[in-house]
Amino acid sequence: LSECPRRDWRLGERIVRNLAFSEGNWRAGRWWVPMSYAFVHLDEEHRMGNVIALLPHASRVHGAFGGLWVPIFLGGAATGALDRWGKQFQATRKLSGAVAVKGLVPEPLEGAAHAVDRLTRRVAGWIAPTITRSTVYVGASAGVWALLGVSMCLTLESIADLLLELSSTRGNPSRRGDASTHGVGFAIASHALSAYAVGRQAWTTAADIAKGAQGPVDHAGHLDGFLFGLGAYSVLRLAQRGGRRQRIVAGVLASRRTW
């Protein structure tokens, strides 16, 4: 949007109206904006930041589920865009946090400050829907967070597989202390560190929403995308296991017919 030629700001207006997400665009029947907004960015820095975050996680998810990384990305983006309650909750916390007085007054006045802050939160809750209705959302972050959620689940899955491999190695006296055992231990530590970093990032995002962190970042949309990714991973793995079970049953039945 910031790159639109100065002589034609109407181009930027058309992009916002037809591709960016807002409640007005959604209610106007532009059904595609919960996904198309993921391809609109404020500037080159915003775009490149999302691309850099997207590539490794998209590659990881593609390795496990193939081309399904695309609907996971789009589904996370749409979930982040359409969660009206999450956006209003974040806006309420931002408004009330910006004028909170508790902690800024002497201890004898903390009771009164708490009452004032409670009233402020109530007023902010009335104002928040107006703010979210007029807010325009752009960026691929929610979709990237969906892939991040799937990627974290795959990392935990890898840790479980490596632990099984390590336990089987320990049960084999001939392999104790060999180089492969040390390699498995290093891989477990590396995956565990990666999973911890992602989990901490998600926890920090939730904390930022709760404390009303200021700034233009849609933390609620990020968390929505992450939760969508966790759900997508669970559904896809269950579907894969169900498919394998059906193939096993079909194979057993086919072998019985040959008897």
Side-chain angles (χ1 to χ4, degrees):
L1 299 178
S2 61
E3 297 176 357
C4 294
R6 291 183 180 273
R7 63 180 180 275
D8 189 10
W9 289 108
R10 290 176 298 177
L11 175 60
E13 294 175 0
R14 288 198 294 269
I15 291 174
V16 170
R17 185 172 61 251
N18 293 305
L19 296 177
F21 179 83
S22 67
E23 288 192 25
N25 284 348
W26 175 247
R27 291 176 179 176
R30 299 183 180 95
W31 56 265
W32 58 87
V33 292
M35 293 175 286
S36 64
Y37 84 104
F39 302 96
V40 181
H41 291 82
L42 292 174
D43 51 34
E44 189 65 27
E45 182 180 358
H46 186 206
R47 182 186 302 113
M48 288 306 300
N50 277 327
V51 169
I52 291 171
L54 170 71
L55 290 177
H57 299 300
S59 177
R60 180 82 186 277
V61 177
H62 181 271
F65 300 114
L68 290 176
W69 75 268
V70 176
I72 292 172
F73 170 80
L74 294 176
T79 301
L82 296 173
D83 179 18
R84 183 185 304 172
W85 182 88
K87 295 183 186 307
Q88 291 180 2
F89 180 81
Q90 179 176 332
T92 299
R93 290 290 184 170
K94 276 187 178 182
L95 288 170
S96 60
V99 295
V101 296
K102 188 176 180 180
L104 302 177
V105 298
E107 186 174 348
L109 298 177
E110 283 190 356
H114 178 71
V116 171
D117 288 346
R118 187 168 53 190
L119 177 62
T120 301
R121 283 195 296 270
R122 182 172 298 180
V123 174
W126 296 336
I127 300 173
T130 302
I131 294 176
T132 56
R133 279 197 297 268
S134 61
T135 302
V136 175
Y137 298 89
V138 295
S141 299
V144 172
W145 272 77
L147 296 173
L148 184 63
V150 179
S151 182
M152 189 188 76
C153 290
L154 292 172
T155 298
L156 295 174
E157 187 180 276
S158 296
I159 292 173
D161 292 339
L162 289 169
L163 287 172
L164 288 174
E165 181 181 345
L166 188 62
S167 64
S168 65
T169 300
R170 287 183 175 179
N172 186 354
S174 64
R175 293 190 59 190
R176 290 180 184 174
D178 65 6
S180 63
T181 302
H182 297 300
V184 170
F186 178 79
I188 291 173
S190 176
H191 285 312
L193 183 62
S194 175
Y196 170 77
V198 174
R200 182 174 177 81
Q201 190 175 2
W203 179 263
T204 301
T205 298
D208 285 340
I209 297 172
K211 70 183 181 183
Q214 302 300 309
V217 179
D218 181 18
H219 296 294
H222 293 175
L223 195 59
D224 287 332
F226 184 73
L227 295 175
F228 180 88
L230 299 183
Y233 167 85
S234 301
V235 170
L236 290 172
R237 277 297 188 237
L238 287 173
Q240 287 181 340
R241 290 174 182 173
R244 283 197 295 267
R245 190 178 299 113
Q246 290 177 357
R247 287 194 295 271
I248 291 171
V249 171
V252 171
L253 293 176
S255 64
R256 286 184 178 179
R257 293 193 190 98
T258 60
W259 293 351

